[in-house]
């Protein structure tokens, strides 16, 4: 796990210095080594690659990057882990290849030499990489199937020459000198809708995120030659009820993702998903696993007792780390500054990652993906119902639907003051106006604000978004669910939006801020493919229970542990926002110049904040926190419209 950076175009002292600066800015991603390489200039043009190393597989200096293929002159920088590298290595040896290291990096480099662009279809892991192809004078970039590892890029004029510049983190590009410190107004609107920015755009104008499962080629002049999808979520016309292939993939993933030359731990909340990963890890490991849980003084947020019970059953070496309000407050600046893009959710991962890293662990397994794959969220039951009702009333004009929604909200909450509820009942009119559009219903239901208040929060609103999403991304997601059942479609939405656009990006930046690699066995692309082959009934029924995952991955754990109300890992920000964090949030919201520079309406923000402090129904902490994080991020990184 590492940080990569590079520039393709004119090789000049200024460009080299800038690439090295971007690498230094990502030192937290790779404290174990740093490297730089440049190709032989072709008419002054070529590739400049830099790497920061977090050593996990083959800790020797021979595995350092950038790594060269002496037989071809190709070079690679790579961030991630290839879990099936050992079997690929043997396959390549059988075809006559030889190796100088025991690293997965060299396996990729040799695989590219022998298999060409098809190498990416053989990789089972998490990765973002760039390969300089010396014979073709091009650079090949690729990102893993689900988008666990990020790759940001920009095409920019630098010293009067065109360059293609890339890095593992947006902030490295932002501070490189290649990019203007200018917010993307469309992305600000997307953020206010979602609480995160949806790709391929980013919060910064001009910087793009390479989509998950994509391969991109850039010529020596820094021009993009091609950008293609090599992997998409599967859509099966003929389903099966045979769960054995999925079971095999799950345990294989759990075993492969424990391959490491450094200590590995498991995040354990005590819920189904993390318990499934911990159990499979314990079964496939000869030694006791180490598990980690965050505990809170606030009892309504504390699930440490459940984690402890599961760990005891597994015979794990369990670590309980208590996070107090004082601990949170003393480290909040570091947590917020770890966010590569603004997001209302990333600091959860920062605090648990920091605690695990301080315990001497370099790699941690997380239970991410279970809800999305096996129907754990309420969206699986709520969205079809909401879409059906909105389709039924779809013949009515917008003003009627809007009025009906307002009347229903007023009946539910007779006295809500200046700010109407910004949740389910408050959004009824918006949901009805989706007219049965499945993606529109999903996005409306899980947006932070009603369409009306979203408009009030923004100083100007003319950004041509489709329910808070870039129209191209919206059409791509809609196209991907063609032929899917409703349950499969919601799973695809959750994997593409909640995970792909938010949670995985948050996890990467927050965990790498403390030099911790987080692996996600349930999101192995082979596991995902096998899950989508199953009939929806076998995979999802009964909704919300994740029965199939429990059947396959936790058969030896007392089911009583899971018979409780579902709750995710949530820091008590709602409580702390009204106590220790109150002054810093108020100060930020009252900064008129800051809110103006970000393109927000300060009056709407303050009205929302006062409604939250007053306990107005339907004004959740996440709405306040999302705006605070955006403003804090923009002030810290000195950006504006």
């Amino acid at each position: 796990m590492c940080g990569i950076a590079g520039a393709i175009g004119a090789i000049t002292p200024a460009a080299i210095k800038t690439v090295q600066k971007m690498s230094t800015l990502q030192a937290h991603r790779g404290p174990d080594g740093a490297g730089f390489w440049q190709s032989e200039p072709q008419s002054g043009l070529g590739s400049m690659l830099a790497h920061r190393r977090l050593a996990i597989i083959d800790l020797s200096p021979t595995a350092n990057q950038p790594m060269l293929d002496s037989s071809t002159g190709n070079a690679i920088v790579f961030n991630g882990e290839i879990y099936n590298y050992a079997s690929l290595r043997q396959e390549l040896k059988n075809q006559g290849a030889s190796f100088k290291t025991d690293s997965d990096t060299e396996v990729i480099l040799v695989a590219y030499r022998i298999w060409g662009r098809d190498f990416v279809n053989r990789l089972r892991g998490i990765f973002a990489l760039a390969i300089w192809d010396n014979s073709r004078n091009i650079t090949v970039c690729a990102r893993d199937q689900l988008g666990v590892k990020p790759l940001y890029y920009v095409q920019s004029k630098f010293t009067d020459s065109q360059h293609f510049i890339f890095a593992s983190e947006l902030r490295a590009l932002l501070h490189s000198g290649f990019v203007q410190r200018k917010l993307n107004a469309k992305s600000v609107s997307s953020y206010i809708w979602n609480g995160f920015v949806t790709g391929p755009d980013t919060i910064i104008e001009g910087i793009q995120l390479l989509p998950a499962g994509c391969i991109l080629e850039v010529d020596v002049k820094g021009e993009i030659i091609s950008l293609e999808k090599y992997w998409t979520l599967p859509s099966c016309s003929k389903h099966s009820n045979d769960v054995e292939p999925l079971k095999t993939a799950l345990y294989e993933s759990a075993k492969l993702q424990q391959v490491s030359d450094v200590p590995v731990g498991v995040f354990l909340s005590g819920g189904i998903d993390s318990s499934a990963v911990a159990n499979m890890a314990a079964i496939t490991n000869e030694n006791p696993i180490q598990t980690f849980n965050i505990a809170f003084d606030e009892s309504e947020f504390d699930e440490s007792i459940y984690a402890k019970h599961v760990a005891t059953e597994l015979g794990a070496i369990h670590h309980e780390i208590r996070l107090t309000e004082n601990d949170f407050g003393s480290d909040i600046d570091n947590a917020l500054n770890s966010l590569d893009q603004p997001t209302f959710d990333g600091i959860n991962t920062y605090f648990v990652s920091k605690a695990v890293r301080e315990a001497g662990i370099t790699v941690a397994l997380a239970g991410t993906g279970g809800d999305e794959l096996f129907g754990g969220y309420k969206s699986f039951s709520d969205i079809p119902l909401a879409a059906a009702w909105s389709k039924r009333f779809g013949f009515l004009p917008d003003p009627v639907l809007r009025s009906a929604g307002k009347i229903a909200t007023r009946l539910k909450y007779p006295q809500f003051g200046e700010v109407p509820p910004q949740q389910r009942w408050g959004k009824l009119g918006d949901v009805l106006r989706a007219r049965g559009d499945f993606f529109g219903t999903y996005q409306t239901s899980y947006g932070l604000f009603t369409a009306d208040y979203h408009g009030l929060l923004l100083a100007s609103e003319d950004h041509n978004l489709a329910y808070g999403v870039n129209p191209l991304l919206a059409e791509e997601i809609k196209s991907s669910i063609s032929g899917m059942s409703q349950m499969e479609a919601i799973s695809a939405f959750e994997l593409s939006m909640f995970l792909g656009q938010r949670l995985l990006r948050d996890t990467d930046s927050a965990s790498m801020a403390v030099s911790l690699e987080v692996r996600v066995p349930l999101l192995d692309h082979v596991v995902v493919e096998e899950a989508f082959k199953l009939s929806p009934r076998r995979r999802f029924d009964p909704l919300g229970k994740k029965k199939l995952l429990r059947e396959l991955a936790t058969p030896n754990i007392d089911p009583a542990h899971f018979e409780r109300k579902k709750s995710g890992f949530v820091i008590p920000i709602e409580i702390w926002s009204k106590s220790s964090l109150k002054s810093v949030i108020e100060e930020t919201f009252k900064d008129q110049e800051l809110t103006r520079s970000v393109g927000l309406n300060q009056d709407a923000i303050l009205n929302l904040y006062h409604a939250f402090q007053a306990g107005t129904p339907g004004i959740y902490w996440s709405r306040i926190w999302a705006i605070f994080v955006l403003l804090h991020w923009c002030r810290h990184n000195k950006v504006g419209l």
Side-chain angles (χ1 to χ4, degrees):
M1 193 63 65
C2 311
I4 64 176
I8 316 301
I11 297 180
T12 65
I16 291 171
K17 184 177 180 180
T18 299
V19 172
Q20 292 172 330
K21 177 183 178 181
M22 289 194 295
S23 184
T24 299
L25 289 167
Q26 298 181 133
H28 51 276
R29 298 184 69 93
D32 299 328
F36 175 84
W37 174 88
Q38 69 182 69
S39 63
E40 287 294 327
Q42 304 282 336
S43 301
L45 304 174
S47 176
M48 295 152 279
L49 305 177
H51 186 265
R52 301 291 312 201
R53 187 181 185 198
L54 178 62
I56 290 174
I57 294 176
D58 187 349
L59 309 184
S60 70
T62 58
N64 287 346
Q65 299 180 47
M67 184 178 287
L68 305 182
D69 183 342
S70 58
S71 65
T72 62
N74 296 344
I76 185 174
V77 284
F78 156 56
N79 167 34
E81 303 293 341
I82 306 303
Y83 305 130
N84 65 334
Y85 80 99
S87 61
L88 290 178
R89 178 189 175 97
Q90 188 56 54
E91 188 177 350
L92 291 164
K93 278 186 173 182
N94 293 341
Q95 295 186 35
S98 60
F99 293 84
K100 298 177 181 178
T101 75
D102 293 322
S103 69
D104 52 350
T105 306
E106 188 180 16
V107 169
I108 300 174
L109 200 53
V110 174
Y112 180 76
R113 182 214 309 163
I114 293 178
W115 295 325
R117 273 184 33 148
D118 285 344
F119 83 99
V120 74
N121 295 304
R122 309 286 193 101
L123 304 183
R124 187 174 180 180
I126 52 178
F127 55 88
L129 57 86
I131 298 175
W132 165 252
D133 187 322
N134 191 56
S135 64
R136 297 172 61 202
N137 280 346
I138 67 166
T139 299
V140 178
C141 301
R143 193 166 170 225
D144 64 71
Q145 293 87 347
L146 275 297
V148 178
K149 293 287 102 185
L151 186 68
Y152 295 95
Y153 68 89
V154 65
Q155 289 180 284
S156 176
K157 285 278 188 180
F158 185 72
T159 61
D160 296 324
S161 299
Q162 174 75 18
H163 283 84
F164 176 91
I165 311 108
F166 65 88
S168 294
E169 294 186 359
L170 173 142
R171 290 169 300 170
L173 291 171
L174 178 62
H175 296 284
S176 68
F178 279 99
V179 182
Q180 283 189 314
R181 294 178 176 277
K182 180 176 173 57
L183 288 174
N184 183 327
K186 184 184 294 186
S187 295
V188 172
S189 179
S190 176
Y191 179 88
I192 294 298
W193 186 291
N194 299 289
F196 53 93
V197 178
T198 59
D201 297 325
T202 69
I203 196 68
I204 300 299
E205 187 74 43
I207 299 180
Q208 297 281 292
L209 175 64
L210 181 64
C214 278
I215 188 165
L216 176 149
E217 291 187 345
V218 184
D219 69 18
V220 74
K221 297 177 183 178
E223 298 285 352
I224 294 176
I225 304 169
S226 64
L227 172 57
E228 300 173 9
K229 272 274 190 186
Y230 71 85
W231 189 88
T232 58
L233 285 174
S235 179
C236 294
S237 57
K238 187 176 181 180
H239 292 98
S240 167
N241 287 317
D242 181 8
V243 300
E244 285 305 312
L246 174 59
K247 181 178 181 180
T248 298
L250 281 166
Y251 283 86
E252 195 172 58
S253 176
K255 183 175 182 178
L256 287 172
Q257 295 198 29
Q258 292 181 84
V259 173
S260 172
D261 293 327
V262 294
V264 178
V266 182
F267 293 156
L268 180 61
S269 69
I272 295 170
D273 300 348
S274 64
S275 298
V277 169
N279 187 50
M280 292 189 296
I283 289 172
T284 56
N285 196 321
E286 296 178 356
N287 302 311
I289 62 169
Q290 295 196 64
T291 54
F292 294 82
N293 171 259
I294 298 291
F296 301 106
D297 292 336
E298 294 77 7
S299 58
E300 63 268 43
F301 293 89
D302 185 54
E303 293 194 307
S304 57
I305 188 171
Y306 304 115
K308 194 178 299 183
H309 287 162
V310 172
T312 299
E313 282 203 42
L314 300 182
I317 302 169
H318 188 59
H319 307 261
E320 183 177 292
I321 302 145
R322 187 159 295 274
L323 178 62
T324 67
E325 186 172 1
N326 286 337
D327 295 333
F328 182 87
S330 64
D331 207 22
I332 184 63
D333 282 341
N334 289 330
L336 289 169
N337 295 342
S338 75
L339 303 177
D340 195 38
Q341 289 197 76
T343 169
F344 76 92
D345 197 33
I347 62 169
N348 293 6
T349 305
Y350 171 84
F351 281 102
V352 68
S353 297
K354 182 171 181 281
V356 171
R357 190 69 172 102
E358 288 175 348
I361 299 296
T362 308
V363 177
L365 308 185
T368 311
D371 287 314
E372 293 79 2
L373 279 178
F374 300 103
Y377 294 133
K378 290 189 69 177
S379 58
F380 285 87
S381 57
D382 290 355
I383 299 304
L385 183 62
W389 277 102
S390 68
K391 185 176 182 179
R392 181 174 298 180
F393 290 99
F395 67 93
L396 295 172
D398 270 11
V400 174
L401 296 174
R402 187 189 298 269
S403 297
K406 288 181 178 179
I407 292 170
T409 302
R410 183 65 71 177
L411 289 173
K412 179 70 175 178
Y413 301 108
Q415 296 178 332
F416 55 67
E418 289 188 58
V419 183
Q422 299 297 305
Q423 39 71 285
R424 182 177 304 179
W425 282 97
K427 295 180 190 171
L428 181 58
D430 294 342
V431 171
L432 290 174
R433 284 186 293 142
R435 291 180 163 78
D437 179 277
F438 221 54
F439 182 69
T441 303
Y442 175 86
Q443 277 295 99
T444 298
S445 299
Y446 288 92
L448 292 181
F449 301 101
T450 63
D452 286 344
Y453 213 81
H454 177 265
L456 286 176
L457 286 166
L458 297 166
S460 63
E461 174 68 2
D462 184 22
H463 302 305
N464 190 32
L465 293 176
Y467 299 104
V469 174
N470 181 308
L472 293 176
L473 175 62
E475 286 306 312
E476 179 185 318
I477 293 174
K478 289 181 182 181
S479 177
S480 73
I481 66 169
S482 177
M484 289 185 182
S485 69
Q486 289 188 335
M487 296 299 99
E488 290 171 310
I490 296 168
S491 178
F493 292 159
E494 297 288 4
L495 288 167
S496 299
M497 290 296 299
F498 178 72
L499 275 178
Q501 301 295 329
R502 171 184 149 192
L503 188 54
L504 293 178
R505 293 206 315 250
D506 292 351
T507 299
D508 173 80
S509 65
S511 61
M512 291 306 293
V514 295
S515 307
L516 179 77
E517 172 177 306
V518 175
R519 299 176 177 179
V520 283
L522 299 181
L523 291 176
D524 173 80
H525 80 275
V526 177
V527 169
V528 173
E529 289 171 350
E530 293 300 338
F532 271 83
K533 290 177 183 177
L534 292 173
S535 69
R537 182 179 295 277
R538 187 71 177 94
R539 181 175 158 198
F540 298 111
D541 285 357
L543 282 178
K545 300 296 185 180
K546 290 180 282 191
K547 178 182 176 182
L548 179 58
L549 181 61
R550 291 171 62 175
E551 173 188 326
L552 299 181
T554 65
N556 53 313
I557 296 178
D558 184 352
H561 294 320
F562 309 130
E563 299 303 326
R564 65 183 193 274
K565 184 179 178 181
K566 176 180 174 58
S567 64
F569 172 60
V570 179
I571 290 176
I573 296 176
E574 179 177 6
I575 295 173
W576 299 342
S577 293
K578 295 181 178 181
S579 53
S580 60
L581 295 174
K582 183 177 180 180
S583 60
V584 68
I585 293 175
E586 282 188 356
E587 177 271 325
T588 302
F589 286 175
K590 290 179 179 178
D591 187 333
Q592 189 171 15
E593 177 59 28
L594 175 62
T595 55
R596 184 201 61 78
S597 70
V598 178
L600 300 183
N601 183 329
Q602 188 183 47
D603 288 341
I605 293 173
L606 290 174
N607 286 338
L608 183 75
Y609 177 67
H610 293 148
F612 166 72
Q613 289 291 345
T616 300
I619 310 298
Y620 294 158
W621 69 270
S622 54
R623 278 68 174 168
I624 303 303
W625 188 251
I627 295 172
F628 169 69
V629 170
L630 174 65
L631 292 171
H632 183 282
W633 192 94
C634 292
R635 179 165 56 189
H636 178 72
N637 289 284
K638 299 180 176 62
V639 297
L641 291 172

